[in-house]
Amino acid sequence: MSLTMYDASIPVFIHSLQNLKAILEKAMAHAEARKFDPNVFVSMRLYPDMLPLNRQVQIASDSAKGAAARLTGTEAPKFEDNETTIAELTARVSKTLDYLQTFKPEQFVGAEERPITLQSSRGTLNFTGLNFLRHWAMANFFFHVTTTYALLRHGGVELGKKDFLGPAPQV
Amino acid sequence: MSLTMYDASIPVFIHSLQNLKAILEKAMAHAEARKFDPNVFVSMRLYPDMLPLNRQVQIASDSAKGAAARLTGTEAPKFEDNETTIAELTARVSKTLDYLQTFKPEQFVGAEERPITLQSSRGTLNFTGLNFLRHWAMANFFFHVTTTYALLRHGGVELGKKDFLGPAPQV
């Protein structure tokens, strides 16, 4: 036995985005308890030429939905990237979760061999589905979820790695 | 066709640790060019109660080697966690890479069903190999590699996501 491309992608994105949603909700509660506007987090950056928190969440969402679409040869919905509040970013994550939940394992049959072509700042990149998922989409996805966590931690929100990892799946 | 537990783990850890090594080398070169001690990065934190950079690298190393060992029912070498310089941390990553490169795909046959028991701050956790890899080890690994990157970016090292993602595997 082995695992399928579905097993290695959709449940990982869903689990981590559910945790990201809970993290954003904790940031909101943290600000409200201290009576400051939670939306000041939205434009926070770790360094002036790094992307702010809203872009981190948007790209985490895009990485997950883009990977699911590319691996199944379908088209992902385009989201407007117009979120300016933590509540809107939380809704963006929910919308991404709803989309990911529509995928069925059978759509991923043969996805490991599917040719994937990406336009990036490096030019045109060609991957097999397997290399796209494991060396690109997954790394990119976790990069942006972790950076969102790091920004909120840096901004004083009381979070721990437990929030990032989320509930441990029982068996 | 599908992928194996080896495909979904060892090459991912190796690719990302090679990128981490290059990132640490860039941090060293950055400090040397500006004539400051690169080892000031070692104790940097994004928030006072977050772990410093050396612990981030050590835990990234432990996550990868621990996952490889657990999934194959073998014992990982214990490293001393005594690194206090960027050069020592780079060597720690190299040592981890050497260890990961010893694994063979056939050692992972049946790993998706292997019962994995972990002691964590939450108590005893029980996973199947598949859930351990995708919802725990992989997330934990990327968390610490990304946080190392974030710390160095926050500290002014000129890095981009290209450094984090590394060379795109050609097909």
Side-chain angles (χ1 to χ4, degrees), chain B residues 17 61 64-65 79 91-100:
Chain B
L17 288 174
S61 154
K65 72 182 169 65
F79 295 156
R92 164 75 174 254
V93 175
S94 295
K95 214 161 50 165
T96 311
L97 282 165
D98 290 345
Y99 171 68
L100 293 172

Side-chain angles (χ1 to χ4, degrees), chain A residues 2 46 131 140 154 161 171, chain B residues 2 46 131 140 154 161 166 171:
Chain A
S2 52
L46 286 174
N131 279 338
N140 207 22
H154 185 63
K161 204 169 59 181
V171 187
Chain B
S2 53
L46 286 174
N131 279 338
N140 207 22
H154 185 63
K161 204 167 61 180
V171 186

Side-chain angles (χ1 to χ4, degrees), chain A residues 81-136:
Chain A
D81 292 341
N82 56 2
E83 295 86 0
T84 58
T85 67
I86 295 286
E88 286 167 0
L89 289 169
T90 309
R92 164 76 172 254
V93 176
S94 295
K95 211 159 55 165
T96 310
L97 282 165
D98 290 344
Y99 170 68
L100 293 171
Q101 271 146 356
T102 64
F103 284 89
K104 304 272 172 287
E106 54 269 26
Q107 293 178 265
F108 289 76
V109 173
E112 61 280 5
E113 298 292 349
R114 185 184 283 277
I116 309 270
T117 303
L118 274 192
Q119 302 306 327
S120 95
S121 57
R122 316 183 192 195
T124 303
L125 300 174
N126 294 296
F127 299 96
T128 58
L130 174 58
N131 279 338
F132 165 71
L133 176 62
R134 67 181 172 178
H135 294 313
W136 196 267

Side-chain angles (χ1 to χ4, degrees), chain A residues 1-3 7 11 46-47 49-50 112 122 126 131 134-135 139-140 144 153-154 161-162 166 171, chain B residues 1-3 7 11 46-47 49-50 112 122 126 131 134-135 140 144 153-154 161-162 164 166 171:
Chain A
M1 239 195 83
S2 52
L3 65 158
D7 293 333
L46 286 174
Y47 199 70
D49 69 350
M50 278 182 86
E112 61 280 5
R122 316 183 192 195
N126 294 296
N131 279 338
R134 67 181 172 178
H135 294 313
N140 207 22
H144 292 286
R153 270 299 248 122
H154 185 63
K161 204 169 59 181
K162 194 170 176 172
V171 187
Chain B
M1 241 195 82
S2 53
L3 67 158
D7 293 331
L46 286 174
Y47 200 72
D49 70 350
M50 277 182 88
E112 62 278 5
R122 316 184 192 193
N126 294 296
N131 279 338
R134 67 181 172 177
H135 295 313
N140 207 22
H144 292 286
R153 271 297 250 122
H154 185 63
K161 204 167 61 180
K162 193 170 178 174
F164 177 84
V171 186

Side-chain angles (χ1 to χ4, degrees), chain B residues 2-98:
Chain B
S2 53
L3 67 158
T4 66
M5 287 290 282
Y6 174 88
D7 293 331
S9 58
I10 299 295
V12 180
F13 296 140
I14 288 178
H15 185 70
S16 183
L17 288 174
Q18 283 168 338
N19 302 338
L20 178 61
K21 202 176 143 186
I23 284 169
L24 291 170
E25 284 162 355
K26 279 205 176 180
M28 192 123 69
H30 173 94
E32 282 162 3
R34 284 155 191 79
K35 303 193 192 315
F36 71 83
D37 179 0
N39 303 321
V40 297
F41 289 127
V42 171
S43 58
M44 273 185 62
R45 300 169 193 259
L46 286 174
Y47 200 72
D49 70 350
M50 277 182 88
L51 294 173
L53 184 131
N54 62 338
R55 292 294 298 135
Q56 302 294 342
V57 175
Q58 289 160 355
I59 302 174
S61 154
D62 285 348
S63 306
K65 72 182 169 65
R70 287 196 173 95
L71 290 171
T72 55
T74 58
E75 189 87 29
K78 185 147 175 46
F79 295 156
E80 289 301 325
D81 291 340
N82 55 3
E83 294 86 1
T84 59
T85 67
I86 295 287
E88 287 167 0
L89 289 169
T90 308
R92 164 75 174 254
V93 175
S94 295
K95 214 161 50 165
T96 311
L97 282 165
D98 290 345

